[in-house]
Amino acid sequence: MKKYILALDQGTSSSRAIVFNEKGEPCSASQKEFTQYFPQPGWVEHNPNEIWSSLASVIAEAITTIGINGLNIAGIGITNQRETTIVWDGETGEPVYNAIVWQDRRTSDYCDRIKNEGMTDFIRKKTGLIIDAYFSATKIRWILENVPGAKEKARNGRLRFGTVDSWIVWMLTRGEVHVTDVSNASRTMLFNIHELKWDKELLEMFGIPESMMPEVRSSSEIYGYTKTTIFAHEVPISGIAGDQQAALFGQMCIEPGTIKNTYGTGCFLLMNSGNKPILSSNNLLTTVAWKIGNDVCYALEGSIFVAGSVVQWFRDGLGIIKSSSEIEALANTVPDTGGVFFVPALTGMGAPYWDQYAKGCICGISRGTTAAHIARAALEGIAFQTMDIVKAMENDSGIDLKELKVDGGASRNNLLLQFQADILGTEVIRPKVTETTALGAAYLAGLAVGYWDNTDHIRTQWEAESRFAPKMPAEQTELLKEGWRDAIHRTLSGKTV
């Protein structure tokens, strides 16, 4: 019987299921968007039950499309939007509140307070993270403080916390398994990345009972078996990694110094830093990339909060385009931005600025500015933000970037990738399989069940589809960088890290 690996990619705006064969090729895929809730300015929520129902729907569609069932699936790999926080009742399985999404800024004031209390270095040394509303800890605290009865239930050991991977495993196993992996745990601001365990001092500081926390496991092992009716037979759940770490693995950036950038809802640049964490001097994050067996791999990360979502804003907020794919054609109708710069700080700014109060800024507008100029400036803004992080990463690691591997939905945009190569002055490489986040989860799951022998086996499967070499004259790039620095200066609120 032919066997496959099923990858579940639960993202910020949609859920996807992709079936991979032994060559690492996608054989079938299904995707479904779900509702984004914005109850107040700066608040972003999802319905956890809707996340689950969308995922159950795409699983069923992906496997029936090619006529397979649970017996054909050797293992399930899960990759997920990180930091997004779900708290549910361990007895009923019902969420006590909506999922608070990683983009949500409701805890910004509290983050300012603990920064002013001098907790920045204390938290960074333990977790590798900057104090920011981005991470899970302050979101959990908010739920316990603001949802009636939640704090008491938590004290009584009844509540469970999980990032989205934990919620998916809980639902797949019908509440039998409450786990996460090291990569997701390292994004909570509650996990000691040196000792690889929940930090009791941090849990106490945020008022979070340890009984809420999932068991932390490696990124590639059998955590449990499915009990859901989606599959008639039990299927091993055998790989978990946060979406950006999964993409790093899927891009086969398994040697120290190798770098990838994922252009998704946000933009996430990760550099493999080997088996020891490098604490950043340039406002980057230090994170656990993965753990396989006893081997732990760390990464430096720069997070951009708004990338592909600026295209969604063009579509849904401004109504300038009808579908996201139209932005490249619109931008290509003009040779340049006409002096327009667009800093897409629609939910604050991430690395290396970490200004949670920054607002989006479009500057350089004249009477001759058109929607096409602004569209082009929006795409260039994604590339400029990436450039800022690359510079910080090179300073922290002492390694000069030789090439950048790219993936994610917006990596299909040739105009964006060519400008990225121009502004970085280095080659940008798009792989044959751009679904590297799902592929990374599939590889981690497959390694755990012996579907693939080892990383040397899967490394041979990575292939480049397109390479973009820099073409723009150096004088032109310098002028553009100067304009970008000015736009950043206009954007920052003055309340940075």
Side-chain angles (χ1 to χ4, degrees):
M1 182 181 291
K2 192 166 176 60
K3 294 274 190 176
Y4 302 86
I5 297 290
L6 174 64
L8 308 182
D9 182 356
Q10 203 300 300
T12 309
S13 54
S14 68
S15 296
R16 287 184 292 179
I18 304 179
V19 178
F20 289 95
N21 65 17
E22 65 278 359
K23 294 178 182 175
E25 298 167 335
C27 300
S28 80
S30 177
Q31 180 169 354
K32 186 173 184 179
E33 289 194 2
F34 53 86
T35 311
Q36 310 290 306
Y37 297 95
F38 307 100
Q40 293 185 32
W43 292 29
V44 190
E45 296 178 0
H46 295 155
N47 180 331
N49 288 322
E50 193 180 351
I51 287 176
W52 168 245
S53 63
S54 68
L55 200 59
S57 166
V58 294
I59 291 170
E61 189 171 322
I63 60 177
T64 54
T65 297
I66 54 171
I68 62 171
N69 59 38
L71 288 174
N72 301 95
I73 300 170
I76 296 173
I78 296 167
T79 184
N80 55 285
Q81 52 168 315
R82 304 169 305 167
E83 298 93 20
T84 294
T85 297
I86 303 175
V87 174
W88 66 93
D89 187 312
E91 291 180 18
T92 66
E94 277 301 307
V96 300
Y97 189 78
N98 270 347
I100 302 181
V101 180
W102 57 273
Q103 297 162 313
D104 189 281
R105 313 307 298 166
R106 77 186 66 189
T107 61
S108 295
D109 288 346
Y110 174 72
C111 288
D112 283 345
R113 199 166 89 220
I114 58 176
K115 281 181 202 169
N116 293 335
E117 289 169 0
M119 301 307 294
T120 300
D121 286 343
F122 175 75
I123 287 175
R124 193 200 298 248
K125 281 172 184 169
K126 285 174 177 283
T127 68
L129 305 178
I130 304 282
I131 295 174
D132 194 82
Y134 177 28
F135 305 108
S136 310
T138 61
K139 301 180 196 299
I140 305 170
R141 179 184 177 276
W142 187 93
I143 289 172
L144 295 182
E145 294 289 332
N146 290 277
V147 174
K151 190 182 279 190
E152 188 183 349
K153 279 186 178 180
R155 282 193 192 122
N156 294 336
R158 187 164 160 177
L159 294 191
R160 302 288 176 266
F161 153 73
T163 40
V164 176
D165 57 303
S166 299
W167 173 245
I168 293 168
V169 174
W170 178 274
M171 296 302 282
L172 283 171
T173 62
R174 291 192 166 179
E176 284 191 10
V177 181
H178 185 214
V179 298
T180 189
D181 89 301
V182 289
S183 73
N184 279 293
S186 74
R187 311 299 297 186
T188 59
M189 215 160 72
L190 295 167
F191 187 69
N192 190 309
I193 61 170
H194 311 282
E195 299 175 3
L196 298 182
K197 61 185 184 184
W198 299 119
D199 191 282
K200 292 183 188 301
E201 286 182 301
L202 291 175
L203 288 167
E204 190 175 331
M205 174 184 159
F206 290 106
I208 299 167
E210 194 166 0
S211 59
M212 289 181 69
M213 307 305 286
E215 181 187 354
V216 183
R217 308 269 283 272
S218 79
S219 309
S220 181
E221 63 176 275
I222 296 175
Y223 312 100
Y225 295 83
T226 60
K227 297 288 189 291
T228 170
T229 53
I230 300 170
F231 307 100
H233 308 275
E234 291 190 348
V235 181
I237 305 162
S238 52
I240 299 175
D243 51 11
Q244 303 316 317
Q245 292 96 325
L248 190 71
F249 196 75
Q251 286 277 35
M252 285 289 100
C253 292
I254 54 179
E255 302 297 332
T258 48
I259 303 180
K260 72 89 200 172
N261 194 19
T262 296
Y263 301 81
T265 301
C267 221
F268 301 90
L269 193 74
L270 270 74
M271 172 190 278
N272 184 323
S273 62
N275 60 8
K276 290 194 177 148
I278 297 173
L279 289 179
S280 174
S281 304
N282 293 277
N283 287 333
L284 299 180
L285 307 178
T286 305
T287 197
V288 182
W290 53 74
K291 182 183 179 192
I292 300 174
N294 293 318
D295 295 328
V296 182
C297 181
Y298 292 88
L300 273 173
E301 175 174 335
S303 311
I304 296 165
F305 295 155
V306 174
S309 55
V310 77
V311 180
Q312 290 176 325
W313 178 69
F314 259 73
R315 182 191 68 190
D316 304 332
L318 297 184
I320 289 174
I321 53 176
K322 288 182 182 172
S323 69
S324 298
S325 58
E326 291 175 18
I327 196 166
E328 183 175 7
L330 177 62
N332 264 323
T333 61
V334 289
D336 54 45
T337 67
V340 175
F341 289 86
F342 188 167
V343 184
L346 307 183
T347 55
M349 289 201 77
Y353 304 103
W354 292 103
D355 183 348
Q356 51 196 4
Y357 298 100
K359 302 289 186 187
C361 175
I362 304 172
C363 52
I365 298 171
S366 69
R367 183 66 183 81
T369 300
T370 66
H373 291 110
I374 297 173
R376 193 173 184 111
L379 294 177
E380 291 188 1
I382 297 169
F384 278 124
Q385 290 179 102
T386 299
M387 173 194 73
D388 290 341
I389 291 175
V390 167
K391 202 181 299 173
M393 212 164 259
E394 289 177 332
N395 289 338
D396 274 335
S397 66
I399 299 168
D400 289 334
L401 178 68
K402 292 184 176 62
E403 62 180 31
L404 178 66
K405 289 180 174 178
V406 300
D407 54 66
S411 71
R412 298 186 188 96
N413 190 308
N414 291 339
L415 186 153
L416 169 62
L417 296 194
Q418 183 56 56
F419 187 79
Q420 188 72 82
D422 289 335
I423 211 69
L424 286 176
T426 192
E427 190 174 49
V428 172
I429 305 170
R430 182 170 59 206
K432 196 171 179 182
V433 178
T434 55
E435 299 293 353
T436 50
T437 303
L439 182 59
Y443 281 155
L444 289 166
L447 287 170
V449 294
Y451 189 76
W452 290 290
D453 298 332
N454 48 46
T455 51
D456 289 336
H457 179 187
I458 56 184
R459 196 202 299 247
T460 60
Q461 297 180 355
W462 190 92
E463 289 181 71
E465 182 247 18
S466 299
R467 294 174 182 267
F468 298 82
K471 295 176 182 175
M472 191 179 286
E475 317 84 70
Q476 191 178 345
T477 60
E478 283 311 309
L479 280 172
L480 288 169
K481 288 176 187 176
E482 193 178 316
W484 174 252
R485 284 192 291 270
D486 177 62
I488 286 287
H489 178 72
R490 293 167 187 270
T491 303
L492 298 177
S493 70
K495 298 181 182 179
T496 55
V497 165

